[in-house]
Amino acid sequence: LCTREFFEQRQGYGCDDPAPIFIVGLPRAGSTLLEQILASHSQVEGTMELADIQRLVSTLDLHASGARYPGVLALPSANDYLAFGEAYIRDTRHYRVGNRPFFIDKMPNNWAHVGLIHLILPNARIVDTRRHPLSCCFAAFKQHFARGQGFTYSLEDVGRYYRDYAALMAHFDSVLPGRVHRVHYERM
């Protein structure tokens, strides 16, 4: 579904607010370090791992008539995508304590929602933190996450998950060239 043509047909959709900076990637790939670096800038506010995009995905799935995510992305109208973007900006405002023009949403799992983010907030920045597969996967495997990262409890699962993540990000690089900025942990 998320082809170059799909996004071209929806060009101009969404809320044009440039405030959000999404840091996406896998856990233990350097997203916290990157957030701290960016939030040290006087115009950027760090928040936390916000669940607002995942809530929107759940809402889309609930209201879809038989379609599942990401297939449901074909259903909303231009006005719907504008409303989704405006709701995201409104609903995340309470996480922001200052009046800085930009803020960070550091939910790593939002890598799976780059297409949705692009549709609802076409001027938001999306930064993919990438770490060498062996380092990233082993660091995630040895970390005991409280919840939400069940794929990290098996080396096979974490390796497969990394491969799927890298493939989807490569797909978005091809259908939305230049949309996602990539930061390599080792180079940073």
Side-chain angles (χ1 to χ4, degrees):
L1 175 76
C2 294
T3 64
R4 187 182 298 243
E5 296 76 26
F6 176 81
F7 291 114
E8 286 172 356
Q9 292 167 359
R10 288 156 180 78
Q11 191 169 356
Y13 280 25
C15 172
D16 63 0
D17 194 320
I21 301 170
F22 290 90
I23 298 177
V24 303
L26 295 188
R28 315 306 302 162
S31 59
T32 301
L33 176 60
L34 181 59
E35 179 185 34
Q36 290 171 346
I37 291 169
L38 293 175
S40 70
H41 191 282
S42 63
Q43 299 208 10
V44 179
E45 181 170 2
T47 57
M48 63 171 92
E49 295 181 2
L50 306 179
D52 296 79
I53 295 294
Q54 185 56 51
R55 272 196 292 278
L56 175 55
V57 169
S58 297
T59 300
L60 288 170
D61 273 346
L62 286 174
H63 297 313
S65 56
R68 293 185 58 215
Y69 189 81
V72 297
L73 294 180
L75 303 177
S77 68
N79 287 335
D80 293 333
Y81 278 116
L82 174 62
F84 296 152
E86 289 173 342
Y88 174 87
I89 296 298
R90 182 187 63 246
D91 295 347
T92 57
R93 195 166 312 278
H94 71 275
Y95 296 108
R96 302 166 66 183
V97 293
N99 288 325
R100 297 178 182 186
F102 302 102
F103 72 99
I104 298 167
D105 180 339
K106 188 194 80 81
M107 176 62 78
N109 296 337
N110 279 341
W111 65 267
H113 310 299
V114 167
L116 173 62
I117 292 168
H118 174 73
L119 289 167
I120 69 170
L121 295 159
N123 294 322
R125 284 132 178 107
I126 303 171
V127 183
D128 172 27
T129 56
R130 185 75 59 99
R131 189 173 177 189
H132 185 278
L134 182 60
S135 299
C136 186
C137 291
F138 183 69
F141 176 72
K142 70 178 192 150
Q143 176 74 38
H144 180 73
F145 294 99
R147 60 186 166 92
Q149 308 298 350
F151 66 92
T152 64
Y153 299 130
S154 153
L155 286 174
E156 236 179 270
D157 288 346
V158 76
R160 198 175 301 112
Y161 198 84
Y162 188 101
R163 185 184 61 217
D164 291 346
Y165 146 75
L168 186 62
M169 295 309 291
H171 171 74
F172 283 119
D173 287 346
S174 71
V175 300
L176 296 170
R179 182 68 175 98
V180 176
H181 178 74
R182 188 149 298 111
V183 173
H184 293 271
Y185 178 80
E186 292 80 5
R187 292 182 201 156
M188 180 173 52

